[in-house]
Amino acid sequence: MHRSLAQHPTASARVRPGRSLLRVLGACSIALCGVLSGCGSSPARLTDEQVQRNLESVDFVHARIKERHFDPAKVGPAWDQAHAEARQAVAQSRTMPEARAAMSTLIASLQQSHFGLIAAEAYAEAGLGNSDASRPESGSGESGANAGIDLRVVEGEATVTRVTPGSSAEQAGLRPGDLVRRIDGRSTANLIDAVGKIYEGKPDQAMMLNASLVSSLQGAEGSTLRLSVVDSSGRERDVSLRRTTPSGTPVKFGHLPTMFLSIDEKRLTPAAGETGGPIGYLRFDLWFDPVRVNQAVTRLVEGCADCSGVVIDLRGNIGGLGAMAMGVGGWFIDRPNQRLGELITRENTLRFVVNPRPRPFTGPLAILIDPLSVSTSEIFAGGMQDLGRARIFGQPTPGAALPSTVEVLPNGDRLQYAFANYVSFRGEALEGSGVQPDERVEPTRRALQDGRDEVLDAAVRWIRSNPAASTPPASPTASTSNAGASGSQR
């Protein structure tokens, strides 16, 4: 969320994990420009006024983080010394990239997620203006438009993992498993290599690799996306796709740009020879619009009286409102006062307590995650895993669950900083460690080409083999143990 220096976050806005996508856009714009081709002409020399604003900005970065950081030990004498060095480097900087690099070095010394600079140019390109009036609405050139495909790094290459029905990508014949060699003339291999080196050895490397590919697909609505694609037969061809408004329901929250919530609901019926009932499946990609998400979960649970299990798919879900994790968790917990974890600031501690709904689902629960399951997705998946209520499938999450906010700097850039820590039910910080799946499943290109979802298949196999899945779950009672119902092992 962005705001002027004079504004402060409201209580409801503060109790939420930060939007990691903003950090991705800013970090990629700053770190990769100069590494990849197409970053524009040489930067202009700074004026005296710009130098002064940069100095004011590095001072603000130092002071604000020192004031708000949840761990005073992280912003002690070493932080002050890092600021002194950064300030000297900013004063000597001749261009904005040099000044930003100096400030980024200061911020990077914290070695934590949700701390970073967002360049003013990147902020504008992301459709984030200084005010609501300056930010384009959907349908008027919003830069988050896409062409209906999703990319991930699969087996080291940029691979199509999802194609939106009816999109220009589908009309052009793109299919899951296709490789994307170039995006608007830029090599995806170079992008993967550059981002991989920048974040080498860091827990958020996989997140940054995948998010860089996703953000590379985005642009102004109505613009053309040009791709070089290799299909399953090995044939390479060039395709031109039209970027359109993302599918899903528009969601507005505070000063954030318009987002689009997509929800996928279905019942997976038993295959020939399989026993048990259907399996309920729900996928949503944002923890926003509590009413709409809750309605979807309500339909899932109320329609699953005969289900052998439930799958919650959080792959690609970049987070949102942290408190929603408690509401959704209540549909799968049958004991009161269950705790997902704690949000800790300098001033207080907020416990994420889950209480059961009137008729929760108590059968086997599987949760699917990947490197873009961030923030609230980590809080929910990790908390349900700690409680022994769910088994987790997929790839590790990046451990980027710190609640954060974004403020405008005197030079027009933005500072994203975390103001709280999140600690799991077991007393372990999610930051830097993330959620580790009980069953790690890496997607393969072959499976994508064959139309198979290996992560979902693994979850379905577990549910089908679970003794609790042979019969529909019993009506919950006060003494029922949900840990035994799920059969999950940490």
Side-chain angles (χ1 to χ4, degrees):
M1 157 183 323
H2 72 280
R3 53 180 61 83
S4 69
L5 298 182
Q7 292 177 303
H8 298 277
T10 63
S12 60
R14 291 177 61 188
V15 184
R16 68 174 185 85
R19 297 282 293 161
S20 295
L21 185 58
L22 301 184
R23 175 172 171 266
V24 167
L25 290 171
C28 287
S29 297
I30 294 171
L32 296 182
C33 193
V35 178
L36 305 176
S37 61
C39 286
S41 58
S42 299
R45 189 181 181 91
L46 294 171
T47 66
D48 291 343
E49 181 180 1
Q50 288 174 314
V51 171
Q52 180 59 36
R53 289 180 179 175
N54 285 337
L55 288 171
E56 293 172 3
S57 296
V58 72
D59 290 344
F60 181 86
V61 168
H62 168 257
R64 179 61 92 228
I65 293 177
K66 189 176 184 68
E67 172 192 6
R68 299 291 305 280
H69 199 285
F70 50 88
D71 182 2
K74 294 284 289 186
V75 287
W79 176 247
D80 297 337
Q81 178 60 35
H83 166 244
E85 295 172 0
R87 197 178 200 282
Q88 183 177 5
V90 168
Q92 296 172 351
S93 297
R94 297 183 177 184
T95 66
M96 278 304 298
E98 291 178 8
R100 286 168 177 154
M103 284 185 266
S104 295
T105 298
L106 168 64
I107 297 169
S109 68
L110 293 169
Q111 298 184 334
Q112 291 179 308
S113 74
H114 292 76
F115 288 87
L117 286 183
I118 306 171
E121 298 86 351
Y123 209 80
E125 289 169 4
L128 307 173
N130 290 325
S131 66
D132 290 341
S134 66
R135 186 175 62 242
E137 295 298 326
S138 170
S140 59
E142 182 144 359
S143 64
N146 61 55
I149 63 171
D150 209 355
L151 286 185
R152 294 290 188 274
V153 178
V154 177
E155 298 173 346
E157 297 191 85
T159 307
V160 176
T161 55
R162 182 187 295 267
V163 178
T164 303
S167 65
S168 60
E170 184 185 55
Q171 294 167 8
L174 270 66
R175 297 289 183 268
D178 287 351
L179 301 179
V180 176
R181 299 293 194 198
R182 303 186 74 82
I183 300 175
D184 287 332
R186 299 182 186 179
S187 167
T188 55
N190 288 348
L191 174 66
I192 292 171
D193 182 64
V195 177
K197 288 179 179 177
I198 291 170
Y199 293 93
E200 186 173 4
K202 298 181 180 179
D204 57 353
Q205 182 190 51
M207 178 185 77
M208 297 302 295
L209 283 168
N210 288 289
S212 297
L213 290 176
V214 173
S215 61
S216 295
L217 298 173
Q218 298 176 344
E221 184 176 353
S223 63
T224 299
L225 173 66
R226 296 178 175 84
L227 304 176
S228 177
V229 180
V230 178
D231 62 21
S232 59
S233 68
R235 180 173 65 99
E236 185 167 355
R237 62 191 178 103
D238 294 329
V239 297
S240 295
L241 310 177
R242 183 176 180 273
R243 293 184 176 97
T244 59
T245 301
S247 59
T249 304
V251 175
K252 297 284 290 184
F253 183 80
H255 292 284
L256 287 172
T258 302
M259 295 167 285
F260 294 85
L261 170 66
S262 295
I263 297 177
D264 183 12
E265 309 171 54
K266 56 189 175 185
R267 286 162 65 90
L268 308 175
T269 57
E274 290 184 334
T275 59
I279 294 174
Y281 172 92
L282 175 65
R283 175 184 178 272
F284 56 100
D285 52 11
L286 291 171
W287 289 86
F288 280 107
D289 198 341
V291 172
R292 195 175 301 275
V293 171
N294 183 64
Q295 289 173 340
V297 180
T298 302
R299 288 192 297 269
L300 172 74
V301 174
E302 292 183 348
C304 260
D306 60 339
C307 287
S308 292
V310 163
V311 174
I312 302 293
D313 191 346
L314 298 179
R315 290 174 293 179
N317 188 316
I318 59 175
L321 297 169
M324 287 181 62
M326 294 182 278
V328 173
W331 285 106
F332 304 99
I333 294 290
D334 60 7
R335 292 179 294 173
N337 300 318
Q338 300 301 291
R339 183 158 48 88
L340 298 177
E342 295 180 341
L343 194 70
I344 303 170
T345 70
R346 285 194 183 186
E347 296 82 17
N348 52 54
T349 296
L350 173 68
R351 291 179 173 82
F352 278 59
V353 177
V354 178
N355 283 298
R357 301 281 183 159
R359 291 180 296 276
F361 180 83
T362 59
L365 173 66
I367 300 176
L368 314 185
I369 58 173
D370 72 1
L372 288 184
S373 301
V374 181
S375 224
T376 307
S377 293
E378 296 181 280
I379 289 174
F380 178 75
M384 299 299 278
Q385 183 185 50
D386 279 350
L387 291 173
R389 182 58 190 94
R391 188 167 179 83
I392 312 299
F393 297 82
Q395 300 164 276
T397 67
L402 297 183
S404 71
T405 189
V406 179
E407 294 195 42
V408 185
L409 297 176
N411 66 2
D413 289 348
R414 270 70 172 174
L415 167 68
Q416 181 180 14
Y417 64 91
F419 55 83
N421 194 15
Y422 184 83
V423 178
S424 73
F425 169 73
R426 293 178 180 270
E428 301 171 354
L430 279 179
E431 173 67 16
S433 59
V435 179
Q436 301 301 313
D438 297 297
E439 189 169 333
R440 181 161 182 164
V441 185
E442 299 282 347
T444 65
R445 188 187 179 204
R446 172 63 67 183
L448 290 167
Q449 291 171 338
D450 293 342
R452 292 184 289 113
D453 185 336
E454 294 169 293
V455 181
L456 178 58
D457 290 347
V460 169
R461 284 195 300 271
W462 171 73
I463 290 174
R464 296 290 180 205
S465 65
N466 195 307
S470 59
T471 57
S475 299
T477 64
S479 61
T480 302
S481 170
N482 56 23
S486 73
S488 172
Q489 298 295 322
R490 173 86 177 181

